[in-house]
Amino acid sequence: MGIATSQLVKRKRQGHPLVMLTAWDYPFAQLLDKAGVDLILVGDSLAMVALGHPTTLPVTLDQMIHHTQAVCRGVKEALVVCDLPFMSYQEGPIQALRSAGRVLKETQAGAVKLEGGYPEMIEIVHRLSLSGIPVVGHVGVTPQSVHRQGYRRQGKAQVEGDRILHEAIALSEAGAFTIILENITHDLAQKITKTLPIPTIGIGAGPHCDGQVLVTSDVLGLSSWQPPFAKVYANLHETITDAVKTFSQEVRDRQFP
Ligand code: KIV
C-alpha cells in the first residue's frame, strides 16, 4: 500500500518536495489521503493532540497500533508511517524488532519511525532494516527526550551541529529510507539534505529540506498552542465552536429539528 520507499529517493533526485502530515484517526486520514499528501505519520504527538497528555511519553505501543489501524482504514494512496513510542525500542534491537514487527503485522503501515542517533539507534535501525522493516529516522529535537533536551532548537553550536550531521549520515548508512529533521538550524538542515542520498523531511528546519511535515492539528487550528515554526492554514477551532454553539442554540430555541 502507498508510495514505495524507493520512490522517495527518486523524488529527492527529481527535486519534487515530499508532503507529510500527521493523523490519528480514520476521518482525518481519509481527508489527508484524498487531498494527496505523500506520507501520513501516525506520530506519537497524538499523545498530546488526541489524548490530552502534556508530552509524548505516556502513549503506549498498543495505543499507537490502535490509532494506526484506524488511520490505515482511511488511506488508499499515502505511505503510512507509525511512530514507535517511548520505551518500545530504547532497550535494544530485540525490543525494537518485537515492537516494529507488531506494527507491521497488526496494521497496514508501511514503515516505522524512531527518534535519536548515536550510538544505540544506529544499531537498532540496522537490525530493523536487515529484517525488512522500513525505518524513518528522526534527529534534532527529539520530543521523547524532552526531559533531557527540552524543545530548544538544536545544532546552533558547531559541535552539536556536527554530531547531528554525523548521526543523520550514520542513520542513512544503517538503512533509514528518510530522516525527519526537527527544529534545527536551516544551514544545518541544508547541509544534511545535500549530504544524504535519502530524503530529509523538515519540521521547523527551514526551506532546504526535501519535504515538510507538520502536526495536522496545528495546520488546521485545532491545537491550543502551536510551535513558532508551524503555520496555521485554517481555524477549525472557531468553525467547530461556532457550529456547536449554533446547534445548541437551535435545540434550546426549539428551532431544530
Ligand atoms: O509525533 C510527531 O508528530 C512527529 C512529528 C513532529 C515529526 O514526530
Side-chain angles (χ1 to χ4, degrees):
M1 185 182 73
I3 182 170
T5 52
S6 54
Q7 287 296 310
L8 300 182
V9 177
K10 202 165 144 197
R11 288 275 296 271
K12 175 180 176 111
R13 280 200 222 108
Q14 292 168 338
H16 296 314
L18 292 162
V19 180
M20 185 188 227
L21 279 171
T22 66
W24 49 89
D25 64 13
Y26 172 77
F28 274 97
Q30 251 190 336
L31 286 168
L32 301 185
D33 192 49
K34 283 190 180 154
V37 306
D38 301 305
L39 301 111
I40 294 181
L41 172 65
V42 187
D44 59 359
S45 57
L46 74 80
M48 299 167 82
V49 300
L51 303 180
H53 292 295
T55 69
T56 61
L57 306 193
V59 71
T60 65
L61 182 61
D62 283 343
Q63 288 170 327
M64 290 303 298
I65 287 175
H66 174 81
H67 283 272
T68 304
Q69 287 167 338
V71 164
C72 289
R73 285 181 209 119
V75 173
K76 291 203 169 81
E77 299 295 335
L79 175 66
V80 177
V81 180
C82 171
D83 251 341
L84 293 182
F86 181 58
M87 282 302 140
S88 71
Y89 60 96
Q90 282 88 346
E91 281 177 29
I94 301 299
Q95 190 202 22
L97 279 166
R98 282 206 192 98
S99 299
R102 275 196 65 195
V103 170
L104 262 61
K105 275 171 162 303
E106 296 175 35
T107 81
Q108 297 297 311
V112 296
K113 174 168 86 61
L114 53 79
E115 295 184 5
Y118 282 145
E120 292 81 4
M121 295 313 144
I122 310 302
E123 194 196 341
I124 289 174
V125 169
H126 185 61
R127 287 293 295 277
L128 293 179
S129 301
L130 279 182
S131 306
I133 299 175
V135 186
V136 176
H138 182 156
V139 296
V141 169
T142 48
Q144 291 178 14
S145 308
V146 61
H147 294 308
R148 179 174 56 81
Q149 187 191 52
Y151 294 116
R152 71 169 176 85
R153 174 159 284 184
Q154 298 286 300
K156 284 190 195 161
Q158 178 78 35
V159 56
E160 195 174 73
D162 287 349
R163 179 184 50 77
I164 295 170
L165 170 65
H166 289 113
E167 280 179 340
I169 294 169
L171 286 167
S172 165
E173 287 173 353
F177 69 93
T178 295
I179 294 198
I180 304 288
L181 305 179
E182 180 163 350
N183 202 6
I184 60 173
T185 64
H186 299 186
D187 286 353
L188 176 59
Q190 184 171 30
K191 198 166 172 185
I192 295 174
T193 301
K194 274 191 182 158
T195 306
L196 296 191
I198 59 170
T200 60
I201 301 185
I203 172 161
H208 307 296
C209 302
D210 298 306
Q212 297 291 329
V213 56
L214 284 175
V215 174
T216 295
S217 53
D218 295 341
V219 170
L220 299 180
L222 275 172
S223 312
S224 46
W225 172 89
Q226 292 90 27
F229 51 74
K231 185 167 172 189
V232 182
Y233 287 82
N235 191 345
L236 287 200
H237 184 277
E238 198 175 295
T239 307
I240 293 170
T241 306
D242 285 351
V244 173
K245 278 185 177 166
T246 306
F247 170 70
S248 305
Q249 198 57 52
E250 291 191 4
V251 170
R252 289 181 186 126
D253 293 347
R254 299 197 184 279
Q255 281 177 7
F256 178 84

